Amino acid sequence: MKDDRTIYTDQCEEKLLRLYGKQSLHEAQSRYKRIEERFCRLFGDRRVLHFYSAPGRTEIGGNHTDHQHGCVLAAAIHLDVVAAVAEREDGIIRFYSEGFDPMEIDTADTRFHQQETGSSEALLRGICAKMKQLGYRIGGFDAYCSSKVPIGSGLSSSAAYEILMTTIESHLYNQGKVDAQTAAMIAQFAENQYFGKPCGLMDQMACSVGGVVAMDFQDAAHPIVQKIEYNPDTTGFTLCVVETGGDHSGLTEEYARISQEMQAVAQQLGVTVLRECKEDRFYQQLPQLRERLGDRAVLRAIHFFEENKRAVLEKEALLENNFEQFRHYAVQSGHSSFEYLQNVYSHSRPHNQELAVALALSQTLLEDKGGVWRVHGGGFAGAIQAFVPVDFWDEYKTRMEAAFGEGCCQPLRIREQGGIRVF
């Protein structure tokens, strides 16, 4: 690689500073250098090399509202996935990710492959298929990738990978012209149609846009995305997730049933998704809905209607810099997910309720101190989210680590950049 491409040039240092901050600069330089070295060992050439980064995300409000075309509040975070990438001329993508088996696809074949369902190959092929469908160019590349977004923590490692791969194709073959919202929709298509997970658009949009964003998916083809200036540090709180050690394997069906049951309610009311339904009509039909679909589906619909309103109120509270009002709605959101949405533990594993224990313990620690505790992301296993007063952080961290293990508390910083070519 040419000397002016090393990560130690002044220009590269400035870009890393903007992404990771002064305190983490040396760590970032060491990380990028390690990725560069491993790329060269794997692929053994001196082609022009570029680095790409995409962040994980944290959901702040609107738990399981996006797939019903609702409103959500989310933020990109400092934990990211980074890749060293070089273009190929034969249309082949070779993708090595630290800790995972390598994958390879030919971009000439963008058909859906049933046997790839649930795999990284499916995501990459789906991204290429959608980009081609939208009229973008696609092509091959070699990549070595390393991620700091923990898997199973609800920080959306999968969406980070999807946005990373979309960003690579955008810059290598389309002069970076795929805008953030389009990139998110391409990534969602790949996860829905090729990977086989019926997710909404929140994860991909937050990872792609960056910063704190309020999203309204009423018109799913043209969502309203609004950036919000908010930093938890300025309000005296540390935003964190607590990884509880639960096992995500085998939970895709539980996750899918939430959207399926909500859509079943919507269909009974003559609409496609719950956002299209008048709330008073839902309550008028509640007895018939209970009889036809069961109580859990009805409770999950109630959660949607209330959570959708809360996400807007949370956004307005942050815009007004009223953290106490935001806190009120965020705590309500957590209770609604536990009681109505019922995504705090798996119904097939009643003896394993790590999230419930973490929420109960957090409530005893934070309720009288003005904090927030809520399930994070899809639920059923993984992590909870908390806003912890800065002067209580050490105590909270000690107590949670005593219950769930050293290192379970992960403080989060908001990242303003979405998916980008770093240099």
Side-chain angles (χ1 to χ4, degrees), residues 314 326-336 371-374:
E314 288 173 324
F326 165 79
R327 174 193 176 276
H328 169 75
Y329 295 124
V331 171
Q332 281 188 350
S333 170
H335 283 298
S336 182
V372 173
W373 59 97
R374 62 192 291 275

Side-chain angles (χ1 to χ4, degrees), residues 177-190:
K177 291 181 180 178
V178 182
D179 65 84
Q181 292 194 31
T182 301
M185 293 178 183
I186 289 167
Q188 184 204 24
F189 169 88

Side-chain angles (χ1 to χ4, degrees), residues 19 106 123 202 219 251 261 266 282 291 320 361 373 385 390 405:
L19 265 184
D106 186 344
L123 289 174
M202 176 187 68
D219 181 352
L251 293 177
E261 290 183 7
F282 162 77
E291 182 179 348
E320 295 168 3
L361 180 56
W373 59 97
Q385 181 187 75
V390 171

Side-chain angles (χ1 to χ4, degrees), residues 123 149 155-163 165 191 197 203-204:
L123 289 174
V149 187
L155 296 172
S156 214
S157 57
S158 59
Y161 271 104
E162 293 157 17
I163 295 302
M165 292 185 282
E191 188 156 345
K197 184 176 180 180
D203 296 354
Q204 292 83 0

Side-chain angles (χ1 to χ4, degrees), residues 93-310:
I93 295 176
R94 295 190 297 175
F95 197 95
Y96 285 72
S97 186
E98 195 171 67
F100 295 91
D101 293 333
M103 63 176 177
E104 181 175 312
I105 72 162
D106 186 344
T107 58
D109 178 9
T110 58
R111 298 169 300 159
F112 171 68
H113 292 220
Q114 181 69 46
Q115 70 274 18
E116 289 181 349
T117 300
S119 71
S120 298
E121 288 86 352
L123 289 174
L124 190 47
R125 201 181 301 276
I127 286 167
C128 291
K130 188 63 176 178
M131 291 189 73
K132 186 177 179 181
Q133 183 186 107
L134 292 174
Y136 294 108
R137 294 181 62 220
I138 57 174
F141 57 85
D142 288 331
Y144 181 82
C145 174
S146 176
S147 177
K148 285 204 167 186
V149 187
I151 295 172
S153 62
L155 296 172
S156 214
S157 57
S158 59
Y161 271 104
E162 293 157 17
I163 295 302
L164 178 78
M165 292 185 282
T166 306
T167 303
I168 291 169
E169 286 287 342
S170 173
H171 282 272
L172 282 183
Y173 295 104
N174 299 278
Q175 296 80 50
K177 291 181 180 178
V178 182
D179 65 84
Q181 292 194 31
T182 301
M185 293 178 183
I186 289 167
Q188 184 204 24
F189 169 88
E191 188 156 345
N192 288 174
Q193 303 301 323
Y194 278 60
F195 186 85
K197 184 176 180 180
C199 67
L201 189 54
M202 176 187 68
D203 296 354
Q204 292 83 0
M205 193 68 76
C207 293
S208 189
V209 173
V212 179
V213 285
M215 296 167 267
D216 185 339
F217 296 113
Q218 185 167 24
D219 181 352
H222 303 92
I224 299 171
V225 179
Q226 179 182 5
K227 274 211 171 192
I228 296 172
E229 294 297 324
Y230 171 65
N231 183 340
D233 297 341
T234 63
T235 52
F237 286 83
T238 296
L239 170 62
C240 74
V241 289
V242 180
E243 298 181 52
T244 65
D247 183 7
H248 267 88
S249 63
L251 293 177
T252 299
E253 186 177 348
E254 294 249 31
Y255 178 92
R257 281 177 184 162
I258 293 178
S259 60
Q260 291 165 0
E261 290 183 7
M262 287 185 180
Q263 284 177 244
V265 173
Q267 288 166 6
Q268 285 291 321
L269 295 168
V271 294
T272 305
V273 291
L274 287 175
R275 183 66 181 275
E276 298 171 357
C277 178
K278 298 289 186 182
E279 190 175 349
D280 58 355
R281 184 161 178 265
F282 162 77
Y283 282 107
Q284 289 168 6
Q285 297 293 317
L286 192 143
Q288 296 93 323
L289 292 169
R290 289 184 61 206
E291 182 179 348
R292 293 169 185 166
L293 302 174
D295 288 337
R296 189 175 69 175
V298 167
L299 286 166
R300 285 174 164 171
I302 291 172
H303 166 82
F304 168 80
F305 287 119
E306 296 302 315
E307 185 77 349
N308 197 48
K309 290 182 284 189
R310 264 192 299 269

